[in-house]
Amino acid sequence: MSTQSKESRPEKVTTQTVVEMKRKGEKISMLTAYDFTMAGIIDAAGVDVILVGDSASNVMAGFETTVPMTLEHMIYHTSCVVRAVDRALVIADLPFMSYQVTAKEALISAGRMMKEAGAHAVKLEGGKAISPTVKRIVDAGIPVMGHLGLTPQSIYKFGTYKVRAKEEEEAEQLIKDAKKLEMAGVFSIVLEKIPAPLAKQVTESVSVPTIGIGAGADCDGQVLVLHDMLGLNKDFSPRFLRRYADLHSSMTGAVQNYIKDVKSGDFPNKDEQY
Ligand code: KIV
């Protein structure tokens, strides 16, 4: 249980807060987290939105794609994050095949994410095809974030993680999809790896905030995978990624120093024992 008094607790970010931030022209910061410790650090640092992304499949579980992630995995990670967070809005990805078969099944999955994990909202990948499903979930009182452009759950359809919607036809469809999602009731839309001018056009075409990853500066907010921006993944260097730390080197150095001290008998010293 939190030890903070009610008065000292920060004002919680809600779905209405982020919509209002777009209206006021205030940029929205979003990062992923998958566990209690990391979520606590980024929440206390002041990030607005925490996404429990199914990128947990890659960075936590070591799978090559997000396809193997199950609803149970996502509920576990989301519950760990929710327990750490005082202020940020916590959004959980619905994993592959937990929402695509029927709208009823999608609603059951979204409901479990809210009831069992304590998520504040869910995110679904796709446009026109899933907009009736989005409406069904929203109508039940569950906020939904959309996700367009590069949608990693469809990697086997795309065959590549390259930039999407460079051709006019796909770009036009993406704008239509964004409007469909808005009409279905999403409170926000992630735009992943699309040309910056297209992301600007989408951002200007919808009233809900867009959150970009590899989609340029004109989105209403930005999201990065935490492990990537902290420099924990040495081998992943897409153009859109800015690294704010080199934790891979720091951790390697710390572990090597520990090993050296254990081997030499320097650790523990007499002040580090009972
Ligand atoms: O799973 C994830 O981390 C995501 C972000 C990249 C937007 O969907």
Side-chain angles (χ1 to χ4, degrees), residues 22-85:
K22 172 171 180 137
R23 211 188 50 77
K24 292 195 285 200
E26 194 183 324
K27 294 278 188 185
I28 300 155
S29 60
M30 173 159 131
L31 284 172
T32 65
Y34 320 98
D35 68 77
F36 179 85
T37 303
M38 294 283 206
I41 293 170
I42 67 174
D43 183 52
V47 76
D48 299 312
V49 183
I50 297 179
L51 172 68
V52 188
D54 59 358
S55 50
S57 187
N58 312 100
V59 297
M60 301 301 285
F63 290 119
E64 228 171 84
T65 72
T66 57
V67 169
M69 221 53 185
T70 66
L71 188 60
E72 274 65 32
H73 292 143
M74 291 306 299
I75 287 173
Y76 169 73
H77 285 295
T78 305
S79 66
C80 297
V81 167
V82 166
R83 283 192 285 277
V85 169

Side-chain angles (χ1 to χ4, degrees), residues 198-213:
L198 174 61
K200 180 174 192 296
Q201 218 183 324
V202 175
T203 301
E204 287 165 358
S205 311
V206 292
S207 61
V208 295
T210 59
I211 311 289
I213 173 162

Side-chain angles (χ1 to χ4, degrees), residues 52-219:
V52 188
D54 59 358
S55 50
S57 187
N58 312 100
V59 297
M60 301 301 285
F63 290 119
E64 228 171 84
T65 72
T66 57
V67 169
M69 221 53 185
T70 66
L71 188 60
E72 274 65 32
H73 292 143
M74 291 306 299
I75 287 173
Y76 169 73
H77 285 295
T78 305
S79 66
C80 297
V81 167
V82 166
R83 283 192 285 277
V85 169
D86 283 326
R87 174 182 173 270
L89 176 70
V90 179
I91 304 170
D93 263 338
L94 287 189
F96 182 58
M97 280 302 131
S98 70
Y99 62 93
Q100 289 94 339
V101 180
T102 64
K104 180 178 169 188
E105 184 211 35
L107 181 53
I108 292 168
S109 301
R112 286 192 62 195
M113 197 57 92
M114 305 295 281
K115 284 174 79 89
E116 294 174 37
H120 308 147
V122 295
K123 176 163 81 59
L124 275 63
E125 295 182 5
K128 186 173 170 232
I130 61 143
S131 59
T133 296
V134 168
K135 184 170 176 348
R136 181 88 185 264
I137 298 174
V138 173
D139 284 349
I142 300 173
V144 175
M145 171 178 260
H147 185 153
L148 295 172
L150 177 64
T151 46
Q153 291 176 12
S154 305
I155 183 58
Y156 290 106
K157 182 174 149 198
F158 295 150
T160 156
Y161 286 106
K162 284 195 187 132
V163 178
R164 302 299 312 177
K166 281 166 105 177
E167 307 302 328
E168 204 175 316
E169 198 181 328
E170 194 182 339
E172 274 170 17
Q173 184 57 51
L174 194 141
I175 295 170
K176 284 187 196 148
D177 282 341
K179 288 181 180 165
K180 278 269 178 208
L181 288 177
E182 181 183 27
M183 275 171 56
V186 296
F187 71 92
S188 177
I189 303 171
V190 165
L191 299 176
E192 180 164 356
K193 253 187 148 179
I194 61 170
L198 174 61
K200 180 174 192 296
Q201 218 183 324
V202 175
T203 301
E204 287 165 358
S205 311
V206 292
S207 61
V208 295
T210 59
I211 311 289
I213 173 162
D218 290 306
C219 295

Side-chain angles (χ1 to χ4, degrees), residues 237-268:
S237 299
R239 191 207 293 204
F240 67 76
L241 175 61
R242 187 180 294 182
R243 288 206 176 90
Y244 288 84
D246 180 7
L247 291 197
H248 190 281
S249 300
S250 306
M251 282 184 70
T252 305
V255 171
Q256 285 171 339
N257 284 336
Y258 166 74
I259 295 167
K260 183 166 63 65
D261 290 352
V262 170
K263 302 272 182 195
S264 70
D266 182 72
F267 175 78

